[in-house]
Amino acid sequence: GGEILFIETMLTKGKGNIKVTGQLGDVMKESVDIALSLVKSMYPEKSEIFEKNDIHIHVPAGAVPKDGPSAGITMTTALASLINNIPVSPEYAMTGEVSLRGNVMPIGGLPEKLMAAARAGIKKVFIPEENKDDLKEVAKEVLDELEIIPVKKVEDVLNIVLK
């Protein structure tokens, strides 16, 4: 169960347009909108980047439709990484929806998501603090392979991955 989704972002000269590709459903498109608003509010000094460039967000995985409220923190991190020009190490994975206030909200299917992360060779996974109790449902072999990092706020993730 569970699969890893990668999120790619790119800036090109433009007029502030946002393009989202990759067979995303409505819920994931909303995650993109929330992430974009959140990143703009967190980095007001970078407003010119948004005004003078177009942003392309792509979730590759062929023609398989993807939807669900678990990618908000990943979308936010990908956009913050892009505008700060700081790549995120592939050793990290993350799951959690975000609010406009920057809270990382709980998700469903944590055992399957952590199993997928372990299968993919991920070593560190950010999860919503409110999902800590769900760790008791995760196989010990999976937990032994991962460093689980519970987070409450978007900043908790960005302070680690954008160093």
Side-chain angles (χ1 to χ4, degrees):
E3 73 177 89
I4 296 287
L5 293 180
F6 294 91
I7 298 178
E8 299 176 340
T9 56
M10 176 185 283
L11 276 179
T12 55
K13 287 291 178 203
K15 299 178 177 164
N17 296 317
I18 307 295
K19 181 188 288 189
V20 181
T21 55
Q23 293 279 341
L24 302 185
D26 290 340
V27 174
M28 283 194 63
K29 287 178 183 172
E30 284 182 7
S31 292
V32 170
D33 290 341
I34 293 167
L36 190 60
S37 293
L38 190 54
V39 169
K40 284 180 176 180
S41 75
M42 291 175 69
Y43 300 99
E45 73 281 5
K46 306 271 186 181
S47 63
E48 195 170 293
I49 292 173
F50 294 101
E51 294 165 9
K52 295 186 176 182
N53 294 281
D54 292 342
I55 296 176
H56 188 157
I57 301 168
H58 180 60
V59 182
V64 178
K66 294 164 280 297
D67 205 14
S70 301
I73 189 60
T74 312
M75 294 287 184
T76 304
T77 300
L79 288 168
S81 166
L82 178 69
I83 67 158
N84 287 294
N85 199 28
I86 302 172
V88 175
S89 169
E91 73 181 334
Y92 293 106
M94 56 198 73
T95 186
E97 191 50 88
V98 294
S99 73
L100 284 175
R101 293 185 173 142
N103 296 319
V104 180
M105 299 182 303
I107 48 85
L110 184 64
E112 294 81 9
K113 289 174 175 136
L114 293 178
M115 197 179 319
R119 275 196 319 263
I122 300 294
K123 297 297 173 204
K124 300 175 183 181
V125 182
F126 294 98
I127 67 166
E129 176 85 25
E130 291 182 50
N131 281 107
K132 278 185 7 183
D133 285 347
D134 297 335
L135 292 173
K136 62 185 171 220
E137 300 170 20
V138 179
K140 182 182 181 328
E141 314 75 75
V142 172
L143 291 175
D144 288 346
E145 291 184 38
L146 301 171
E147 178 185 344
I148 307 296
I149 307 164
V151 293
K152 291 182 181 181
K153 303 286 283 179
V154 167
E155 291 89 348
D156 297 341
V157 175
L158 299 182
N159 288 337
I160 294 171
V161 301
L162 297 185
K163 286 186 174 180

